[in-house]
Amino acid sequence: MGGDDIVIADCGDSAVVVKAMGDPARAWQTVHALADAFEAARPGGVYGIVPTYDSLLIEFDCFHTDHTTVRRALRYEADRLGEGAFPTTPSRRFVVPVVYGGSHGPDLPVVAQQLGLTEHEVVALHSAAPLTVRCLGAPAAAPMMDGPAFPKPVPRLASPRTSVVPGSIAVAGRQAVISPMPSPGGWPLLGRTPLRVLDLDAEPLAAYRPGDTFQFVPIDPGQWDEHVGTPLAAAHG
């Protein structure tokens, strides 16, 4: 991780942001490796470490530390990681049953029309291959994933919904996501999983982490009760 690979800058009065440069895949590896290293070191006063696709936000209590100290610690960890291969955590696979279309996926017909595909083709592409989790977003550790191999990006809704139910499966641009908690949302909904995505009594709340993969599997509405309320868990074997 050379000096030209990242840019470190202050962000407001109590945060520092790291921007990784260059190839998107390498940038993602860079910010997540640096996030893991900084988490292990966890300098005093730091309370938030948020890696995304190509940037890392470090939030701190300005009564206990300052920008200079945090920037120095980040540069130390970046230099320590060096130019070699980053340490990696084995990827886990999560299998996610989904009821597509109907009341669970009201935007499936519109997305199909926008892409010039049939609804069946949209579902087939969405469930064709595992999608990699790139970061955890809002609200409540929503798994932000690479999108399926659609022929072009999917537009966001012209009028966002004021409430999206938990387990909703959505796409926008070239990304995919599952809504783990009730929240507003402007991404088109293709379906919904009956699984319980988050366990509010667990630590951490989410069983998944960046680098894991989600394999979506179409099920019939009549199979909903077979899975409803089951916690999302990594597949074995």
Side-chain angles (χ1 to χ4, degrees), residues 91-123:
S91 174
R92 298 166 301 169
R93 178 172 172 265
F94 291 79
V95 178
V96 183
V98 180
V99 176
Y100 288 94
S103 61
H104 293 306
D107 301 316
L108 178 59
V110 175
V111 171
Q113 184 178 36
Q114 291 169 335
L115 296 177
L117 302 172
T118 66
E119 294 179 29
H120 176 78
E121 288 170 331
V122 171
V123 171

Side-chain angles (χ1 to χ4, degrees), residues 36-54:
D36 289 344
F38 208 71
E39 177 68 53
R42 181 65 78 154
V46 170
Y47 66 83
I49 301 174
V50 187
T52 62
Y53 286 82
D54 59 2

